[in-house]
Amino acid sequence: MFAAAGSIQQASAQSRNVTILLVRHAEKADATSQDPELSAEGKQRAERLIKRIGKFRPGAFYSTNYKRTRDTLAPLAAKRKKEVQFYDARKPQDLIDQIMKSKTKRFVVAGHSNTVPGLANLISKKELFKNLDDSEYSVIWLLRMKDGKVTKLELLDY
């Protein structure tokens, strides 16, 4: 009985449309700190993120537990009256599983130059992206999924 109910729930999670937007954190203030805040330029970029992807009306926000990733999403999350939730970048499949089990349809995930491209590869099930250069902050990965498969992958700039 329980196994059948679980299968039905999993099937319904797979048969829906999901949009995932992946971003690297904005510019950091102090490259020598383990947990730097955003620079003035980074704070401006976080504000631009509202204009660039706010139209997607994200319903959930995920960030690694660092100031720069949290603060990149904080303005948009606040505008949407949502909290930024944390995920472990060392366990990307756990995040994907959580997203796919959620009833939410639109997600924004903030990570790092060496985690976001890999997350895009894992979601798309293709090795398309390499780690970002340390000076690259402007890429947004837009992944649209239907029935658990990526139907559209687009790179946006902000």
Side-chain angles (χ1 to χ4, degrees):
M1 174 72 176
F2 292 110
S7 298
I8 292 168
Q9 184 179 12
Q10 183 177 3
S12 67
Q14 293 293 323
S15 65
R16 64 188 182 94
N17 296 331
V18 174
T19 299
I20 304 171
L21 296 137
L22 305 174
V23 299
R24 179 191 180 189
H25 62 78
E27 292 87 342
K28 52 191 172 190
D30 178 12
T32 62
S33 171
Q34 288 284 40
D35 193 13
E37 297 191 17
L38 294 179
S39 66
E41 187 178 12
K43 290 175 184 174
Q44 289 174 351
R45 185 176 301 280
E47 291 295 326
R48 282 199 307 272
L49 191 62
I50 295 171
K51 293 180 179 129
R52 186 64 169 123
I53 66 173
K55 66 184 176 187
F56 291 99
R57 298 185 337 260
F61 297 84
Y62 290 94
S63 163
T64 57
N65 195 10
Y66 290 93
K67 291 176 192 170
R68 60 193 179 271
T69 50
R70 287 191 308 260
D71 293 349
T72 298
L73 295 186
L76 180 55
K79 185 172 177 83
R80 298 280 305 146
K81 296 179 176 55
K82 302 288 182 183
E83 295 289 322
V84 177
Q85 302 171 64
F86 300 125
Y87 74 96
D88 185 344
R90 296 169 299 184
K91 299 177 181 177
Q93 188 62 54
D94 289 355
L95 173 64
I96 295 167
D97 292 346
Q98 189 173 354
I99 287 172
M100 296 312 294
K101 289 176 186 172
S102 172
K103 293 180 182 178
T104 302
K105 294 182 179 183
R106 294 173 298 277
F107 303 84
V108 181
V109 178
H112 306 270
S113 62
N114 63 343
T115 64
V116 173
L119 196 52
N121 290 338
L122 188 59
I123 294 168
S124 67
K125 296 182 174 111
K126 295 179 183 177
E127 288 296 317
L128 301 171
F129 305 104
K130 296 188 182 333
N131 289 348
L132 295 172
D133 186 70
D134 209 37
S135 63
E136 179 59 64
Y137 295 95
S138 65
V139 179
I140 300 169
W141 286 259
L142 168 63
L143 297 109
R144 294 186 190 265
M145 301 178 74
K146 183 172 175 100
D147 300 331
K149 294 181 182 158
V150 173
T151 58
K152 182 175 186 178
L153 189 147
E154 187 176 351
L155 298 179
L156 308 175
D157 192 50
Y158 82 111

